[in-house]
Amino acid sequence: MTEKELRSLLARYGLRTSKSLGQNFLIGDEIPGFVADSAGLTKQTHVLEIGPGTGAMTRFLCERAGFVTAVELDAKLTAALTETLAGAGNIEIIRGDILKTNLAELMSRGYGDLRVCANLPYNITSPVLAMLFASRLFASITVMVQREVALRLAAKPGTPDYGSFTLLTRYNADVSLLRDVPPTAFLPPPQVTSTVIRLDTHAPPDCVRDEKLFFRTVRASFAQRRKTLANALSAGFTELSKPEIEAAIAECGLPPLVRGETLSLEAFAGLADRLSARLG
Ligand code: SAM
């Protein structure tokens, strides 16, 4: 859809874009086509699109996938979306909040290959990704996010962008940053550059023996980034004494003044094991 066509569609249905719903609609076919092409869709794929908007990407998904389920919160877009998708027989549009949706039920049409494609509403990127990971349903998640979020997801240990969300992502998926998209590709243009990313999900890493304790360790370590790991963990594990925590850190071969932000996923897994031994 060209900018002119998109503007005319919005005008015909009396639609105004909503900032609170993260409505930055894609202009042109290049980016929606790129996202759909990057997602590994086949006719055996059932793809979930979050926030189809006026359907810029949905058309491409219908062409490439076996079936498309599109969940859109803004009921006012339904008529425009129906116009854009006229003729596509392999789509269901669900009006609702993706964060309140039962994904297993939604994706139970019998397809063996489940994937996600979306130009995500920016304000709910983190909870949506956490929900998609937790569902363990999807082989890949190909989405547009703000560039700063993409950098956080793909960050290396010891860099300012590295944090708990990086580790949650790494725990669940391999991350590829595919391409940047400038604000001019959207109507209205957002303030910042966006990035198309693909997350290829995998089973939890073998080195993590206790998922709950692993993430408790990660969260505690990053809760106070400026503190040493020993101090941050002391605040997060009040049932352990400081010497016990220091001993656990030393057993991992880490220096006493190490900061949590320098630890890899494997190092956090090892540390969680040592803490576990002391928690009894
Ligand atoms: N896919 C369209 C495109 O690329 O032009 C629209 C993308 S726009 C960035 C995000 C879309 O998500 C909007 O249509 C918005 O109404 C919808 N949305 C926002 N919050 C939502 C939620 N909680 N559940 C489902 N859709 C939501």
Side-chain angles (χ1 to χ4, degrees), residues 32-42 45 47 57 61 64 113-118 139-143 178 196-200:
F34 175 82
V35 176
D37 283 340
S38 305
L41 308 178
T42 70
T45 308
V47 62
M57 194 183 293
L61 302 179
R64 288 159 179 73
D113 184 49
L114 305 182
R115 292 174 193 261
V116 176
C117 265
S140 73
I141 300 164
T142 307
V143 286
L178 302 182
V196 181
I197 62 169
R198 175 163 160 163
L199 304 163
D200 285 285

Side-chain angles (χ1 to χ4, degrees), residues 30 56 146 194 205 260 262:
E30 190 198 336
Q146 287 184 315
S194 304
T262 63

Side-chain angles (χ1 to χ4, degrees), residues 57-110:
M57 194 183 293
T58 323
R59 293 186 298 124
F60 291 92
L61 302 179
C62 289
E63 280 166 24
R64 288 159 179 73
F67 197 80
V68 180
T69 295
V71 179
E72 173 56 60
L73 181 57
D74 188 351
K76 293 198 289 296
L77 292 172
T78 308
L81 190 52
T82 308
E83 177 183 319
T84 314
L85 299 176
N90 57 345
I91 172 141
E92 65 173 347
I93 298 163
I94 308 283
R95 273 170 46 186
D97 182 345
I98 190 63
L99 294 172
K100 295 185 183 150
T101 301
N102 181 330
L103 293 176
E105 221 170 79
L106 197 69
M107 302 305 287
S108 62
R109 289 181 166 261

